[in-house]
Structures are given as C-alpha cells and as structure tokens.
Amino acid sequence: MPTPRVEINLSKIKSNLRALLDIYGKKSISICAVTKVVCGNVDIARVLVKGGIKIIADSRLNNIKKMHHAGVRSKFMLLGPPKVSEIDSIVRYAHISLNTELSVIQKLSASALVQGVEHQVILMIECGDLREGVLPENIELLVTNVLPLKGIKLVGIGTNLGCFSGVQVDQKKMDLLSNKALEIEKKFGIQLQLISGGNSANYNWFSSTKEIGKINNLRLGESIFLGRETVGNKRIPTLFIDAFTLVTEVTELKSKPSLPYGKKGGNTFGKLVILKDIGIIKRAILSIGQQDVHFSGLSPKGQIKILGGSSDHLLIDPKQSKLTVGSEVRFNLNYSALLSLMTSPYVHKTIIPIK
Ligand SMILES: *Cc1c(COP(=O)(O)O)cnc(C)c1O
C-alpha cells in the first residue's frame, strides 16, 4: 500500500452521522454536513447523503462542482460570503448561499434571472466572533432590501461562532438569533425555514440548554468527521474520533546523539531548534513533511514521540516500539492535520468501504 496515506473509514463516518442526527433530531434540529475539511470528497459525500443529509455545505465552489459532476444527489450550500468573481457559477451549482452584502445578493439576483432559476439565501448575523455577518441592528434593513429582489428567496438567517476568534456559543447569543428570527417573521409577514445556529462549537450549548428557541439547523463538519465538539475539543459520547488515520513509512532508523552538533543557525523554517541532551537515542525518519501536514495535529497511535521535522521529513523517537525501515507508523488527526492532509496532492486517500 502506498504511503503517506489517509485511511478513510466510511463505516465510522456513517456511524458518527447517525449518532449526531439522533442527538440533534431529538430537539428537531436539522444538520447540513460541511465537507470543506475533506475537500468535497465524493465517496464521503455519498455516505452523507445515504445517511440522510439533505444539504451539503462547503466553502469552496470547486468542491461543490466536483460533487455535482460526480452525481452526488444533494442540495448544495455555499458557506462564507460569495465571491463576486464567481456569481454565475454559484447560481449554477449552489442552491443556497450564506450572505452579508446587499451588492452581492443583487448580483446573485441578476444572475438567477438570466439563468431562469431561484437562488436561496441565508443572511448571516454577527454575534461577536467577528468573521462574516451583518451587525444585529442592521439586519432588518438588509431584509427590507433583499425581499423584493427577483430570483432570490430569503430562506433563513444564521450565525457562526467559535471560528476566527473562538468566541463561544452561549444562551444569550442563541437567544439573539432566535429573537431576530421572530422579529423578522413578524415585521415582514414571512416564514424563515432555516434558523442556522452554528457549527460543531454549538454542542455544549445544545447539550445544556433548556431553551433552543427557534434554532432549527446546524452546519456540522468536525463533529461528523472527528467525533468532537470544538470548544473544549472533547469527544462526543459514542462517536468515533478515528474515522481518519494517517499512515506513514519509516525511511531511516539509526541510533544517533539526541543533541545536534556543529555551529547552529535557523532551520529550514528560520526557527532555532532547542533540544535537550539525553544521550544516544534511536531516531526514525518518516516520509511525510510540513508540505503535507500540520505536525502539531498528529497524535501517534503507539508509544513513539515526535521530535520535529522539515518540508518532507518527520523525525520521531521510536521509544520501545519494534520499528524497522519500511515499517508503517499510524497517527490520529485533529482538524488542522486532517485539513492539510486532505488538501495535499502527495497524500493518497484510501477508502475503507462500508462492509
Ligand atoms: C466551516 C464552517 C462550518 C463547519 O464548522 P465545523 O467546526 O467543522 O463544524 C459551519 N459554518 C460555516 C460558516 C463554516 O465556515
């Protein structure tokens, strides 16, 4: 088998999805599955759709196009403020987009009219994380301007927390979103289908709240794929955290000093590496590098210790493990490791099918 490779266990993804649909479904919250961290992988997308997902969301139109062309039968939602340079393709390939700028929604409207289709929009409200969103006091004016636009259907409002600055989801912020939904529905005499409260960072709020209000949708990536909520990075009970495994290969194994010798300057990345002298140790080189993965997101499955690395070498202390040259070494992944590995064209993606 080729290395480095990410083994993708579809059964575990399916099982995580089922558990999350069950957990959130108990309070009538629907789930959009967010595929950006897996780069819109088509095999995974098919499992999501088969598992009951009706809307797949992604921040990159290229991923949505790929899934569309592969025949993935789902509605597609484009996350993040849309690019003006992509308007026509967005209307063509995405059924829904998350928006904050009137000028962009006007362009989506013009394009939808030309293409003879309806494009659905969700307006994002800023709740303090300071990435995308209109300030709460400006949302009604935006709704006023969006409602008359032809070819555009306002289907909901949403917010996003815990991303850019890690601001946490709390009852006050969710109440704000719920109340805005109520106000908009009342003032404009419309029904909003989706009140989309956030992402995998909403889990703790959801598990402890007595009042979900009008929140009826979440957009989940990390908790489906890695089984974790994203505030304390804790495992969600019964979910798998190892649906994805990195497998690398030992290319050198020798006993060498633990302390580098010679006159020292910066390393490949201009950093000064400081190491402690613990005598002669066994050292192994694994064939994977910073070009492929954020090292800090790797957790070795065995007893080994990561020493550091460069563009395409990862150095480990094999400790007591019985590695030889050519042995495979496996790692669990966090979000940033998974994101980088799925994005690297040098890393094979090996699907482990559902039995
Ligand atoms: C990435 C993203 C999500 C999903 O976040 P996870 O932490 O992976 O659940 C949801 N909404 C928006 C707007 C996003 O950009």
PDB file of all heavy atoms in Angstrom, residues 148-177:
ATOM      1  N   PRO A 148     -37.548  42.223  -2.019  1.00  0.00           N
ATOM      2  CA  PRO A 148     -38.106  42.498  -3.358  1.00  0.00           C
ATOM      3  C   PRO A 148     -37.267  41.929  -4.511  1.00  0.00           C
ATOM      4  O   PRO A 148     -37.736  41.967  -5.651  1.00  0.00           O
ATOM      5  CB  PRO A 148     -38.086  44.033  -3.443  1.00  0.00           C
ATOM      6  CG  PRO A 148     -37.705  44.537  -2.101  1.00  0.00           C
ATOM      7  CD  PRO A 148     -37.019  43.433  -1.379  1.00  0.00           C
ATOM      8  N   LEU A 149     -36.062  41.431  -4.248  1.00  0.00           N
ATOM      9  CA  LEU A 149     -35.187  41.004  -5.352  1.00  0.00           C
ATOM     10  C   LEU A 149     -35.745  39.767  -6.051  1.00  0.00           C
ATOM     11  O   LEU A 149     -36.041  38.757  -5.413  1.00  0.00           O
ATOM     12  CB  LEU A 149     -33.775  40.714  -4.836  1.00  0.00           C
ATOM     13  CG  LEU A 149     -32.972  41.915  -4.318  1.00  0.00           C
ATOM     14  CD1 LEU A 149     -31.635  41.449  -3.730  1.00  0.00           C
ATOM     15  CD2 LEU A 149     -32.756  42.941  -5.419  1.00  0.00           C
ATOM     16  N   LYS A 150     -35.845  39.862  -7.382  1.00  0.00           N
ATOM     17  CA  LYS A 150     -36.366  38.742  -8.164  1.00  0.00           C
ATOM     18  C   LYS A 150     -35.303  37.640  -8.270  1.00  0.00           C
ATOM     19  O   LYS A 150     -34.104  37.915  -8.323  1.00  0.00           O
ATOM     20  CB  LYS A 150     -36.734  39.235  -9.567  1.00  0.00           C
ATOM     21  CG  LYS A 150     -37.841  40.270  -9.546  1.00  0.00           C
ATOM     22  CD  LYS A 150     -38.926  39.945 -10.556  1.00  0.00           C
ATOM     23  CE  LYS A 150     -40.218  40.668 -10.250  1.00  0.00           C
ATOM     24  NZ  LYS A 150     -40.046  42.152 -10.143  1.00  0.00           N
ATOM     25  N   GLY A 151     -35.741  36.401  -8.299  1.00  0.00           N
ATOM     26  CA  GLY A 151     -34.797  35.291  -8.446  1.00  0.00           C
ATOM     27  C   GLY A 151     -34.125  34.900  -7.140  1.00  0.00           C
ATOM     28  O   GLY A 151     -33.341  33.961  -7.089  1.00  0.00           O
ATOM     29  N   ILE A 152     -34.413  35.656  -6.084  1.00  0.00           N
ATOM     30  CA  ILE A 152     -33.799  35.394  -4.775  1.00  0.00           C
ATOM     31  C   ILE A 152     -34.893  35.016  -3.783  1.00  0.00           C
ATOM     32  O   ILE A 152     -35.928  35.666  -3.715  1.00  0.00           O
ATOM     33  CB  ILE A 152     -33.086  36.662  -4.245  1.00  0.00           C
ATOM     34  CG1 ILE A 152     -31.883  37.002  -5.110  1.00  0.00           C
ATOM     35  CG2 ILE A 152     -32.665  36.495  -2.784  1.00  0.00           C
ATOM     36  CD1 ILE A 152     -30.732  36.030  -5.047  1.00  0.00           C
ATOM     37  N   LYS A 153     -34.647  33.948  -3.034  1.00  0.00           N
ATOM     38  CA  LYS A 153     -35.580  33.616  -1.950  1.00  0.00           C
ATOM     39  C   LYS A 153     -34.836  33.636  -0.626  1.00  0.00           C
ATOM     40  O   LYS A 153     -33.838  32.929  -0.450  1.00  0.00           O
ATOM     41  CB  LYS A 153     -36.198  32.243  -2.189  1.00  0.00           C
ATOM     42  CG  LYS A 153     -37.164  31.882  -1.079  1.00  0.00           C
ATOM     43  CD  LYS A 153     -38.160  30.826  -1.473  1.00  0.00           C
ATOM     44  CE  LYS A 153     -39.222  30.722  -0.391  1.00  0.00           C
ATOM     45  NZ  LYS A 153     -39.664  29.352  -0.197  1.00  0.00           N
ATOM     46  N   LEU A 154     -35.315  34.467   0.283  1.00  0.00           N
ATOM     47  CA  LEU A 154     -34.733  34.504   1.622  1.00  0.00           C
ATOM     48  C   LEU A 154     -35.278  33.310   2.400  1.00  0.00           C
ATOM     49  O   LEU A 154     -36.468  33.251   2.689  1.00  0.00           O
ATOM     50  CB  LEU A 154     -35.112  35.813   2.323  1.00  0.00           C
ATOM     51  CG  LEU A 154     -34.642  35.943   3.774  1.00  0.00           C
ATOM     52  CD1 LEU A 154     -33.128  35.930   3.872  1.00  0.00           C
ATOM     53  CD2 LEU A 154     -35.205  37.208   4.403  1.00  0.00           C
ATOM     54  N   VAL A 155     -34.396  32.342   2.705  1.00  0.00           N
ATOM     55  CA  VAL A 155     -34.889  31.125   3.382  1.00  0.00           C
ATOM     56  C   VAL A 155     -34.495  31.049   4.852  1.00  0.00           C
ATOM     57  O   VAL A 155     -34.953  30.170   5.568  1.00  0.00           O
ATOM     58  CB  VAL A 155     -34.412  29.824   2.682  1.00  0.00           C
ATOM     59  CG1 VAL A 155     -35.072  29.674   1.330  1.00  0.00           C
ATOM     60  CG2 VAL A 155     -32.898  29.753   2.588  1.00  0.00           C
ATOM     61  N   GLY A 156     -33.626  31.975   5.285  1.00  0.00           N
ATOM     62  CA  GLY A 156     -33.273  31.882   6.697  1.00  0.00           C
ATOM     63  C   GLY A 156     -32.235  32.890   7.138  1.00  0.00           C
ATOM     64  O   GLY A 156     -31.765  33.717   6.349  1.00  0.00           O
ATOM     65  N   ILE A 157     -31.934  32.809   8.439  1.00  0.00           N
ATOM     66  CA  ILE A 157     -30.826  33.596   8.984  1.00  0.00           C
ATOM     67  C   ILE A 157     -29.928  32.644   9.761  1.00  0.00           C
ATOM     68  O   ILE A 157     -30.331  31.529  10.110  1.00  0.00           O
ATOM     69  CB  ILE A 157     -31.309  34.750   9.905  1.00  0.00           C
ATOM     70  CG1 ILE A 157     -32.128  34.223  11.087  1.00  0.00           C
ATOM     71  CG2 ILE A 157     -32.108  35.767   9.115  1.00  0.00           C
ATOM     72  CD1 ILE A 157     -32.439  35.288  12.125  1.00  0.00           C
ATOM     73  N   GLY A 158     -28.699  33.100   9.988  1.00  0.00           N
ATOM     74  CA  GLY A 158     -27.773  32.226  10.699  1.00  0.00           C
ATOM     75  C   GLY A 158     -26.669  33.013  11.361  1.00  0.00           C
ATOM     76  O   GLY A 158     -26.577  34.238  11.215  1.00  0.00           O
ATOM     77  N   THR A 159     -25.850  32.300  12.118  1.00  0.00           N
ATOM     78  CA  THR A 159     -24.663  32.919  12.682  1.00  0.00           C
ATOM     79  C   THR A 159     -23.556  31.882  12.753  1.00  0.00           C
ATOM     80  O   THR A 159     -23.801  30.678  12.610  1.00  0.00           O
ATOM     81  CB  THR A 159     -24.935  33.533  14.070  1.00  0.00           C
ATOM     82  OG1 THR A 159     -23.840  34.401  14.408  1.00  0.00           O
ATOM     83  CG2 THR A 159     -25.059  32.463  15.160  1.00  0.00           C
ATOM     84  N   ASN A 160     -22.346  32.361  12.948  1.00  0.00           N
ATOM     85  CA  ASN A 160     -21.193  31.467  13.025  1.00  0.00           C
ATOM     86  C   ASN A 160     -20.294  31.934  14.160  1.00  0.00           C
ATOM     87  O   ASN A 160     -19.854  33.074  14.181  1.00  0.00           O
ATOM     88  CB  ASN A 160     -20.423  31.507  11.697  1.00  0.00           C
ATOM     89  CG  ASN A 160     -19.493  30.331  11.550  1.00  0.00           C
ATOM     90  OD1 ASN A 160     -19.939  29.186  11.616  1.00  0.00           O
ATOM     91  ND2 ASN A 160     -18.214  30.581  11.388  1.00  0.00           N
ATOM     92  N   LEU A 161     -20.058  31.047  15.113  1.00  0.00           N
ATOM     93  CA  LEU A 161     -19.203  31.379  16.261  1.00  0.00           C
ATOM     94  C   LEU A 161     -18.095  30.343  16.386  1.00  0.00           C
ATOM     95  O   LEU A 161     -18.141  29.284  15.769  1.00  0.00           O
ATOM     96  CB  LEU A 161     -20.048  31.412  17.546  1.00  0.00           C
ATOM     97  CG  LEU A 161     -20.998  32.616  17.651  1.00  0.00           C
ATOM     98  CD1 LEU A 161     -22.189  32.302  18.528  1.00  0.00           C
ATOM     99  CD2 LEU A 161     -20.264  33.850  18.154  1.00  0.00           C
ATOM    100  N   GLY A 162     -17.094  30.668  17.207  1.00  0.00           N
ATOM    101  CA  GLY A 162     -16.044  29.690  17.503  1.00  0.00           C
ATOM    102  C   GLY A 162     -15.090  29.443  16.357  1.00  0.00           C
ATOM    103  O   GLY A 162     -14.392  28.439  16.338  1.00  0.00           O
ATOM    104  N   CYS A 163     -15.038  30.341  15.376  1.00  0.00           N
ATOM    105  CA  CYS A 163     -14.143  30.095  14.233  1.00  0.00           C
ATOM    106  C   CYS A 163     -12.943  31.018  14.241  1.00  0.00           C
ATOM    107  O   CYS A 163     -11.852  30.627  14.621  1.00  0.00           O
ATOM    108  CB  CYS A 163     -14.913  30.205  12.922  1.00  0.00           C
ATOM    109  SG  CYS A 163     -15.668  28.646  12.446  1.00  0.00           S
ATOM    110  N   PHE A 164     -13.140  32.287  13.856  1.00  0.00           N
ATOM    111  CA  PHE A 164     -11.992  33.196  13.745  1.00  0.00           C
ATOM    112  C   PHE A 164     -11.366  33.470  15.107  1.00  0.00           C
ATOM    113  O   PHE A 164     -10.166  33.345  15.291  1.00  0.00           O
ATOM    114  CB  PHE A 164     -12.416  34.507  13.076  1.00  0.00           C
ATOM    115  CG  PHE A 164     -11.389  35.599  13.174  1.00  0.00           C
ATOM    116  CD1 PHE A 164     -10.147  35.450  12.585  1.00  0.00           C
ATOM    117  CD2 PHE A 164     -11.656  36.767  13.879  1.00  0.00           C
ATOM    118  CE1 PHE A 164      -9.185  36.456  12.679  1.00  0.00           C
ATOM    119  CE2 PHE A 164     -10.705  37.766  13.978  1.00  0.00           C
ATOM    120  CZ  PHE A 164      -9.475  37.612  13.386  1.00  0.00           C
ATOM    121  N   SER A 165     -12.202  33.830  16.085  1.00  0.00           N
ATOM    122  CA  SER A 165     -11.609  34.225  17.365  1.00  0.00           C
ATOM    123  C   SER A 165     -11.987  33.299  18.510  1.00  0.00           C
ATOM    124  O   SER A 165     -11.640  33.572  19.654  1.00  0.00           O
ATOM    125  CB  SER A 165     -11.984  35.674  17.683  1.00  0.00           C
ATOM    126  OG  SER A 165     -13.322  35.926  17.365  1.00  0.00           O
ATOM    127  N   GLY A 166     -12.688  32.217  18.209  1.00  0.00           N
ATOM    128  CA  GLY A 166     -13.004  31.253  19.259  1.00  0.00           C
ATOM    129  C   GLY A 166     -14.032  31.746  20.263  1.00  0.00           C
ATOM    130  O   GLY A 166     -14.116  31.225  21.373  1.00  0.00           O
ATOM    131  N   VAL A 167     -14.810  32.786  19.904  1.00  0.00           N
ATOM    132  CA  VAL A 167     -15.867  33.249  20.819  1.00  0.00           C
ATOM    133  C   VAL A 167     -16.923  32.157  20.940  1.00  0.00           C
ATOM    134  O   VAL A 167     -17.384  31.610  19.937  1.00  0.00           O
ATOM    135  CB  VAL A 167     -16.493  34.571  20.315  1.00  0.00           C
ATOM    136  CG1 VAL A 167     -17.791  34.880  21.038  1.00  0.00           C
ATOM    137  CG2 VAL A 167     -15.498  35.713  20.513  1.00  0.00           C
ATOM    138  N   GLN A 168     -17.276  31.818  22.177  1.00  0.00           N
ATOM    139  CA  GLN A 168     -18.132  30.656  22.417  1.00  0.00           C
ATOM    140  C   GLN A 168     -19.615  30.931  22.195  1.00  0.00           C
ATOM    141  O   GLN A 168     -20.080  32.059  22.321  1.00  0.00           O
ATOM    142  CB  GLN A 168     -17.932  30.157  23.854  1.00  0.00           C
ATOM    143  CG  GLN A 168     -16.541  29.579  24.061  1.00  0.00           C
ATOM    144  CD  GLN A 168     -16.370  28.935  25.419  1.00  0.00           C
ATOM    145  OE1 GLN A 168     -17.341  28.620  26.099  1.00  0.00           O
ATOM    146  NE2 GLN A 168     -15.121  28.743  25.803  1.00  0.00           N
ATOM    147  N   VAL A 169     -20.306  29.866  21.874  1.00  0.00           N
ATOM    148  CA  VAL A 169     -21.759  29.914  21.744  1.00  0.00           C
ATOM    149  C   VAL A 169     -22.342  29.957  23.149  1.00  0.00           C
ATOM    150  O   VAL A 169     -21.915  29.182  24.005  1.00  0.00           O
ATOM    151  CB  VAL A 169     -22.267  28.636  21.038  1.00  0.00           C
ATOM    152  CG1 VAL A 169     -23.777  28.650  20.910  1.00  0.00           C
ATOM    153  CG2 VAL A 169     -21.594  28.476  19.685  1.00  0.00           C
ATOM    154  N   ASP A 170     -23.264  30.867  23.422  1.00  0.00           N
ATOM    155  CA  ASP A 170     -23.947  30.831  24.719  1.00  0.00           C
ATOM    156  C   ASP A 170     -25.430  31.151  24.527  1.00  0.00           C
ATOM    157  O   ASP A 170     -25.875  31.448  23.416  1.00  0.00           O
ATOM    158  CB  ASP A 170     -23.278  31.774  25.734  1.00  0.00           C
ATOM    159  CG  ASP A 170     -23.341  33.237  25.297  1.00  0.00           C
ATOM    160  OD1 ASP A 170     -24.229  33.591  24.496  1.00  0.00           O
ATOM    161  OD2 ASP A 170     -22.483  34.021  25.756  1.00  0.00           O
ATOM    162  N   GLN A 171     -26.167  31.048  25.613  1.00  0.00           N
ATOM    163  CA  GLN A 171     -27.614  31.217  25.528  1.00  0.00           C
ATOM    164  C   GLN A 171     -27.985  32.596  25.009  1.00  0.00           C
ATOM    165  O   GLN A 171     -28.904  32.744  24.204  1.00  0.00           O
ATOM    166  CB  GLN A 171     -28.245  30.973  26.910  1.00  0.00           C
ATOM    167  CG  GLN A 171     -29.760  30.811  26.871  1.00  0.00           C
ATOM    168  CD  GLN A 171     -30.190  29.608  26.008  1.00  0.00           C
ATOM    169  OE1 GLN A 171     -29.557  28.561  26.040  1.00  0.00           O
ATOM    170  NE2 GLN A 171     -31.253  29.792  25.230  1.00  0.00           N
ATOM    171  N   LYS A 172     -27.230  33.615  25.459  1.00  0.00           N
ATOM    172  CA  LYS A 172     -27.557  34.987  25.068  1.00  0.00           C
ATOM    173  C   LYS A 172     -27.439  35.159  23.549  1.00  0.00           C
ATOM    174  O   LYS A 172     -28.295  35.769  22.914  1.00  0.00           O
ATOM    175  CB  LYS A 172     -26.572  35.953  25.763  1.00  0.00           C
ATOM    176  CG  LYS A 172     -27.270  37.123  26.439  1.00  0.00           C
ATOM    177  CD  LYS A 172     -26.286  37.936  27.249  1.00  0.00           C
ATOM    178  CE  LYS A 172     -26.198  39.348  26.690  1.00  0.00           C
ATOM    179  NZ  LYS A 172     -25.128  40.131  27.299  1.00  0.00           N
ATOM    180  N   LYS A 173     -26.397  34.578  22.992  1.00  0.00           N
ATOM    181  CA  LYS A 173     -26.174  34.735  21.549  1.00  0.00           C
ATOM    182  C   LYS A 173     -27.225  33.957  20.747  1.00  0.00           C
ATOM    183  O   LYS A 173     -27.721  34.420  19.721  1.00  0.00           O
ATOM    184  CB  LYS A 173     -24.750  34.306  21.180  1.00  0.00           C
ATOM    185  CG  LYS A 173     -23.691  35.241  21.800  1.00  0.00           C
ATOM    186  CD  LYS A 173     -22.296  34.866  21.388  1.00  0.00           C
ATOM    187  CE  LYS A 173     -21.231  35.684  22.159  1.00  0.00           C
ATOM    188  NZ  LYS A 173     -21.293  37.134  21.899  1.00  0.00           N
ATOM    189  N   MET A 174     -27.571  32.758  21.242  1.00  0.00           N
ATOM    190  CA  MET A 174     -28.593  31.972  20.544  1.00  0.00           C
ATOM    191  C   MET A 174     -29.969  32.636  20.687  1.00  0.00           C
ATOM    192  O   MET A 174     -30.769  32.620  19.749  1.00  0.00           O
ATOM    193  CB  MET A 174     -28.615  30.533  21.079  1.00  0.00           C
ATOM    194  CG  MET A 174     -27.382  29.721  20.707  1.00  0.00           C
ATOM    195  SD  MET A 174     -27.150  29.473  18.918  1.00  0.00           S
ATOM    196  CE  MET A 174     -25.914  30.703  18.525  1.00  0.00           C
ATOM    197  N   ASP A 175     -30.234  33.235  21.860  1.00  0.00           N
ATOM    198  CA  ASP A 175     -31.497  33.970  22.045  1.00  0.00           C
ATOM    199  C   ASP A 175     -31.578  35.165  21.096  1.00  0.00           C
ATOM    200  O   ASP A 175     -32.635  35.468  20.548  1.00  0.00           O
ATOM    201  CB  ASP A 175     -31.632  34.458  23.497  1.00  0.00           C
ATOM    202  CG  ASP A 175     -31.983  33.317  24.453  1.00  0.00           C
ATOM    203  OD1 ASP A 175     -32.344  32.226  23.952  1.00  0.00           O
ATOM    204  OD2 ASP A 175     -31.884  33.511  25.676  1.00  0.00           O
ATOM    205  N   LEU A 176     -30.436  35.824  20.910  1.00  0.00           N
ATOM    206  CA  LEU A 176     -30.400  36.970  19.991  1.00  0.00           C
ATOM    207  C   LEU A 176     -30.822  36.525  18.588  1.00  0.00           C
ATOM    208  O   LEU A 176     -31.658  37.158  17.937  1.00  0.00           O
ATOM    209  CB  LEU A 176     -28.985  37.574  19.954  1.00  0.00           C
ATOM    210  CG  LEU A 176     -28.767  38.659  18.902  1.00  0.00           C
ATOM    211  CD1 LEU A 176     -29.326  39.997  19.386  1.00  0.00           C
ATOM    212  CD2 LEU A 176     -27.298  38.822  18.550  1.00  0.00           C
ATOM    213  N   LEU A 177     -30.268  35.391  18.138  1.00  0.00           N
ATOM    214  CA  LEU A 177     -30.601  34.891  16.794  1.00  0.00           C
ATOM    215  C   LEU A 177     -32.082  34.504  16.716  1.00  0.00           C
ATOM    216  O   LEU A 177     -32.786  34.852  15.764  1.00  0.00           O
ATOM    217  CB  LEU A 177     -29.708  33.691  16.451  1.00  0.00           C
ATOM    218  CG  LEU A 177     -29.779  33.214  15.005  1.00  0.00           C
ATOM    219  CD1 LEU A 177     -29.219  34.265  14.046  1.00  0.00           C
ATOM    220  CD2 LEU A 177     -29.027  31.902  14.820  1.00  0.00           C
TER     221      LEU A 177
END
